[in-house]
Amino acid sequence: MNAVWREPLIPVVSFVRAYAKINLTLDVIGCRADGYHNLMTIMQAIDLHDTICLTAVDDDQIHLFCSVAELNTEENLAVRAAQVVRQRYAIKSGVKIEIVKRIPFAAGLGGGSSDAAAVLLALRQWWQLTISDAELLDMAAALGSDVPFFLRGGLALCEGRGERITPIASDWPPSLRWLLLLKPAPGISTATVFRSLPASDYTDGSCSRALLAALRAQQPIDPACLHNSLERGVLETYPFVAQAREDMLEAGAPLVRLSGSGPTLYAPFSELDHAQRAQEQLQRLGYEIYLTRAMPAA
Ligand code: C5P
């Protein structure tokens, strides 16, 4: 007898993409009374993404299946995002969240924050909630400092803890057309990196301001603007990151910078063939490499 395929009773499914980011600049301006740091950072979404599938369920639970086993926990920011929406708007329905993880985690690429923002946006639409942009931003900021940026993505200046977002309208500079990412094997804790940052690495925001001005005026980018206050300490504390940086320069990268608190490094290339040659050389050394580009805002 032939088996009969029956459609599940609950066919409501929604797929969304959650993009990674890099920090073009990261000025740490100072430490705050709440333990966080005031920042000026220019972030750009890139076309490396996780895929999230939301499915309706017939109970009132949030179910998670993540393709990376160690992220399959209640602490996953995507689950916390769904919990926040359910609680705040007294939603009775549950939801199943499946995540195909492609963005390396604990990497300085904002993967968990991006998943959370994607879930907030998807559930607002799915449950047809009238949530103002300000409320959404508030929920996002409560989940994590990088989450507000991912509500829009694209290119933006982020200030305060990271939650004050100013979108930047600019054509993407040709010198940054291709972005080669190298993810050294061990992850790094953001909290540890911030905690060990000496005040001598604080900056006054001038790098972010200079880059902002250059982007808005469509001027060539001065590499000195692409400053990350966390980079010096990370290179000094984690020799495997310093070695990876040397290997990227050796492979022809015109410049190499740390994204966020690392350990991912990125190198911009204007020509694809140069980027590809560097990619091949670094892959031969056994590195995890992604060749990517900037993603405009949705
Ligand atoms: O906000 P989020 O949970 O992503 O931050 C992770 C950690 O990074 C915080 O616990 C804090 O130690 C540090 N951090 C900081 N200042 C920021 C953002 C993050 O000190 N603006």
Side-chain angles (χ1 to χ4, degrees):
M1 202 172 74
N2 286 338
V4 178
W5 167 251
R6 291 193 196 284
E7 279 294 315
L9 287 175
I10 307 159
V12 183
V13 172
S14 176
F15 281 97
V16 286
R17 286 180 172 191
Y19 291 96
K21 59 82 180 164
I22 56 167
N23 300 72
L24 293 174
T25 62
L26 203 172
D27 285 303
V28 178
I29 292 168
C31 192
R32 307 168 8 153
D34 63 5
Y36 281 88
H37 291 76
N38 276 324
L39 310 177
M40 271 185 95
T41 175
I42 296 185
M43 299 215 267
Q44 171 66 60
I46 55 172
D47 80 343
L48 174 64
H49 67 86
D50 293 340
T51 301
I52 301 178
C53 178
L54 301 179
T55 309
V57 291
D58 55 7
D59 61 27
D60 61 357
Q61 302 295 305
I62 294 162
H63 305 262
L64 173 70
F65 177 79
C66 180
S67 60
V68 172
E70 60 198 286
L71 301 180
N72 241 327
T73 74
E74 294 269 297
E75 295 309 303
N76 191 304
L77 273 188
V79 173
R80 287 180 40 211
Q83 282 165 345
V84 165
V85 177
R86 278 189 81 245
Q87 278 158 16
R88 195 141 162 170
Y89 298 95
I91 304 289
K92 299 280 181 280
S93 328
V95 63
K96 181 166 81 176
I97 303 172
E98 293 171 302
I99 306 177
V100 178
K101 206 73 202 146
R102 293 197 196 82
I103 307 171
F105 60 97
L109 297 172
S113 302
S114 186
D115 292 348
V119 167
L120 287 180
L121 291 167
L123 289 179
R124 172 169 75 166
Q125 193 180 10
W126 201 9
W127 286 329
Q128 299 184 354
L129 302 170
T130 321
I131 307 181
S132 68
D133 288 346
E135 276 176 288
L136 200 64
L137 195 68
D138 192 46
M139 285 192 282
L143 288 163
S145 306
D146 283 349
V147 182
F149 164 78
F150 287 109
L151 293 175
R152 179 182 176 277
L155 177 63
L157 171 69
C158 310
E159 296 174 274
R161 235 178 78 212
E163 82 287 9
R164 279 196 350 251
I165 313 293
T166 309
I168 303 172
S170 168
D171 287 340
W172 187 240
S175 61
L176 307 182
R177 184 167 291 135
W178 299 104
L179 299 163
L180 195 66
L181 269 52
L182 183 154
K183 160 64 177 60
I188 295 185
S189 147
T190 302
T192 306
V193 171
F194 272 102
R195 215 179 305 121
S196 39
L197 185 73
S200 53
D201 284 339
Y202 294 170
T203 47
D204 61 1
S206 52
C207 298
S208 296
R209 272 192 288 274
L211 179 62
L212 183 64
L215 287 167
R216 284 184 170 152
Q218 310 280 340
Q219 301 270 315
I221 304 300
D222 175 358
C225 296
L226 303 178
H227 176 79
N228 180 340
S229 299
L230 304 175
E231 184 172 309
R232 190 208 56 77
V234 168
L235 292 177
E236 198 176 281
T237 313
Y238 304 97
F240 61 89
V241 184
Q243 181 61 53
R245 179 178 176 277
E246 287 306 309
D247 290 337
M248 288 182 91
L249 291 168
E250 181 69 24
L255 63 99
V256 179
R257 292 289 184 270
L258 187 76
S259 181
S261 56
T264 302
L265 298 160
Y266 68 89
F269 288 84
S270 55
E271 305 295 333
L272 178 58
D273 62 338
H274 296 166
Q276 220 166 355
R277 246 179 285 141
Q279 177 184 23
E280 284 161 11
Q281 182 169 331
L282 291 162
Q283 279 168 336
R284 277 196 295 275
L285 294 175
Y287 284 115
E288 184 179 335
I289 301 290
Y290 301 88
L291 179 52
T292 172
R293 69 169 177 99
M295 271 307 288

